[in-house]
């Protein structure tokens, strides 16, 4: 079993290298110095502490959004409200630290908590509609994302906007509310440790608690869950609320960790990244960490070659799309012959061969 799992990992790694090579090599060959392009993409993110820090900064919200998606996917819910929850959670966090008089030590935790509760509504409402009326959570959550966006822009414009800023941005976030930086010379902040802890707690919830076990049963076999008498509706709604709290909390952490003001004029895209991360990690909270770091590494490497060479930034999006298609291709990743080949196992004998072998041993 361990060899099979390792074989699956090796297949994934080989396919990822092939996908990156298939997209990047032709682009590099069209430029005057292709080796420099490949060198910058592969090793550039690790030559400068600031660029390495960028990988971790970008992976922080990806880990938490991926965890939110994984919790809901495990319960069999395809909710896309993580994007709107992230946006609304960030806005509610900033509004709390700006408008509510709080002592300095309570600004960040209270702001993130309020942001998590407010933002989670984007995931909780589709969950309730699915549990109560069997409405498709895919459609309702997708629509709610845009409702959250325009409600947020209205709040920023009429309640939080700084008239002296010259753009539709909020007043400055108080310095007392900002999350502390962890490493000098980078923007890595306390939120990274929170994201790592959240992934660990997510693994404990899904694989070591009764609630997580029930959610996985409902997600993998709803008929069996109904036969067991599990409260399916409440389990579905609970998974939606937990996922929404995580995603919205990630928005608040992102705001207090990296931003000076609330300045998002559109959906930031971290929720969509979380969907990709969750799929890459097979909805495993621990595997979310390397999956988020890998996608962030691709993004930073792509940004470097886009800035230093005549390479379109869309090439990184193309690589991510191909990675997602290949990794989710069940015919490749779960092909028994390919797994046996990589694991070094002999092909399984056919029934006729087994019969002959038995007859030979008896004779």
């Amino acid at each position: 079993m361990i060899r099979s799992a390792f074989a699956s990992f090796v297949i994934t790694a080989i396919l990822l290298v092939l996908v990156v090579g298939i997209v990047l090599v032709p682009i590099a060959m069209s430029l005057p110095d292709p080796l420099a392009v490949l060198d910058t993409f592969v090793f550039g993110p690790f030559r400068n502490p600031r660029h390495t820090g960028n990988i971790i900064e970008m992976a922080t919200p990806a880990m938490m959004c991926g965890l939110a998606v994984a919790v809901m996917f495990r319960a069999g819910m395809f909710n896309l409200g993580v994007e709107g929850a992230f946006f609304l959670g960030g806005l509610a966090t900033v509004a709390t630290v700006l408008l509510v008089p709080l002592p300095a030590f309570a600004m960040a935790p209270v702001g993130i908590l309020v942001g998590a509760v407010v933002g989670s509504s984007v995931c909780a409402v589709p969950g309730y509609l699915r549990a109560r009326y069997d409405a498709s959570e895919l459609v309702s959550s997708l629509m709610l994302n845009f409702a959250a966006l325009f409600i947020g822009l209205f709040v920023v414009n009429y309640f939080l906007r700084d008239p002296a800023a010259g753009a539709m941005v909020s007043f400055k976030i108080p310095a007392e509310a900002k999350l502390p930086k962890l490493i000098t010379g980078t923007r890595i902040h306390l939120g990274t440790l929170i994201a790592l802890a959240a992934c660990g707690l997510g693994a404990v919830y899904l694989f070591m608690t009764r609630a997580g076990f029930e959610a996985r049963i409902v997600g993998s076999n709803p008929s069996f869950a109904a036969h067991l008498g599990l409260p399916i509706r409440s389990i579905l709604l609970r998974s939606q609320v937990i996922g929404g709290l995580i995603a919205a909390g990630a928005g608040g952490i992102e705001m207090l960790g990296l931003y000076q003001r609330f300045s998002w004029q559109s959906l930031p895209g971290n929720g969509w990244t979380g969907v990709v991360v969750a799929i890459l990690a097979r909805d495993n909270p621990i595997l979310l960490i390397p999956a988020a770091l890998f996608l962030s590494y691709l993004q930073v490497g792509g940004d470097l070659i886009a800035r230093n060479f005549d390479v379109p930034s869309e090439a990184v999006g193309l690589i991510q799309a191909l990675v997602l298609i290949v990794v989710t291709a069940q015919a490749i990743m779960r092909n028994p012959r390919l797994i046996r080949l990589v694991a070094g196992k002999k092909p399984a004998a056919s029934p006729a061969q087994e019969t002959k072998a038995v007859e030979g041993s008896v004779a």
Side-chain angles (χ1 to χ4, degrees):
M1 184 175 179
I2 294 176
R3 293 178 68 179
S4 298
F6 181 73
S8 179
F9 175 79
V10 171
I11 294 171
T12 303
I14 293 173
L15 289 174
L16 293 178
V17 172
L18 288 176
V19 166
V20 173
I22 288 171
V23 177
L24 192 59
V25 170
I27 294 175
M29 294 299 291
S30 65
L31 297 172
D33 192 354
L35 290 180
V37 176
L38 295 175
D39 178 71
T40 302
F41 182 84
V42 176
F43 301 108
F46 303 110
R47 289 203 176 103
N48 188 315
R50 185 166 60 86
H51 295 153
T52 307
N54 290 339
I55 296 175
I56 300 174
E57 293 161 19
M58 296 174 69
T60 298
M63 279 187 271
M64 294 196 68
C65 289
L67 178 61
V69 174
V71 169
M72 293 186 282
F73 277 7
R74 284 283 184 175
M77 304 283 284
F78 201 86
N79 192 328
L80 298 177
V82 172
E83 180 69 29
F86 186 87
F87 175 87
L88 206 57
L91 175 62
T93 298
V94 173
T96 302
V97 300
L98 287 177
L99 302 178
V100 180
L102 293 169
F105 71 89
M107 277 190 173
V110 173
I112 293 172
L113 180 62
V114 173
V117 173
V118 174
S120 66
S121 61
V122 182
C123 291
V125 171
Y128 174 77
L129 294 176
R130 165 68 185 278
R132 183 69 177 83
Y133 301 105
D134 202 24
S136 170
E137 76 279 7
L138 175 63
V139 177
S140 56
S141 61
L142 192 60
M143 295 297 103
L144 265 179
N145 283 330
F146 294 97
L149 168 64
F150 290 110
I151 290 173
L153 294 180
F154 174 83
V155 172
V156 173
N157 194 30
Y158 288 97
F159 299 99
L160 302 177
R161 183 170 185 171
D162 184 356
M168 196 172 71
V169 296
S170 72
F171 291 98
K172 279 191 174 182
I173 298 172
E176 298 82 4
K178 303 284 290 181
L179 296 178
K181 297 290 187 292
L182 298 180
I183 300 177
T184 306
T186 70
R187 299 196 304 165
I188 301 173
H189 53 82
L190 183 62
T192 301
L193 297 182
I194 297 174
L196 293 173
C199 289
L201 292 174
V204 171
Y205 166 74
L206 282 176
F207 301 115
M208 301 180 68
T209 66
R210 178 175 178 177
F213 184 60
E214 290 176 345
R216 288 191 289 128
I217 291 178
V218 171
S220 59
N221 195 333
S223 300
F224 182 61
H227 179 72
L228 293 177
L230 296 178
I232 295 178
R233 290 182 176 180
S234 62
I235 291 173
L236 292 178
L237 186 56
R238 181 176 63 205
S239 298
Q240 299 289 313
V241 171
I242 293 174
L245 287 171
I246 297 171
I253 290 171
E254 183 78 349
M255 269 293 150
L256 299 186
L258 295 180
Y259 288 80
Q260 299 296 324
R261 307 168 184 265
F262 185 89
S263 57
W264 293 337
Q265 306 295 316
S266 60
L267 295 174
N270 293 83
W272 310 131
T273 304
V275 175
V276 178
V277 170
I279 293 174
L280 280 178
R282 305 285 200 276
D283 302 333
N284 186 318
I286 299 301
L287 295 182
L288 290 171
I289 299 171
L293 289 171
F294 174 71
L295 283 183
S296 301
Y297 161 72
L298 290 182
Q299 187 65 52
V300 173
D303 290 343
L304 286 176
I305 61 172
R307 287 203 301 266
N308 294 285
F309 304 93
D310 188 19
V311 175
S313 58
E314 289 78 7
V316 180
L318 181 58
I319 292 174
Q320 291 182 352
L322 287 176
V323 165
L324 188 62
I325 292 172
V326 170
V327 171
T328 55
Q330 302 289 331
I332 300 175
M333 301 306 300
R334 296 187 181 179
N335 187 299
R337 292 184 178 178
L338 189 58
I339 291 177
R340 280 199 298 270
L341 177 65
V342 176
K345 296 180 179 178
K346 295 180 180 178
S350 63
Q353 290 173 327
E354 291 179 352
T355 303
K356 289 182 180 179
V358 171
E359 290 175 353
S361 64
V362 171

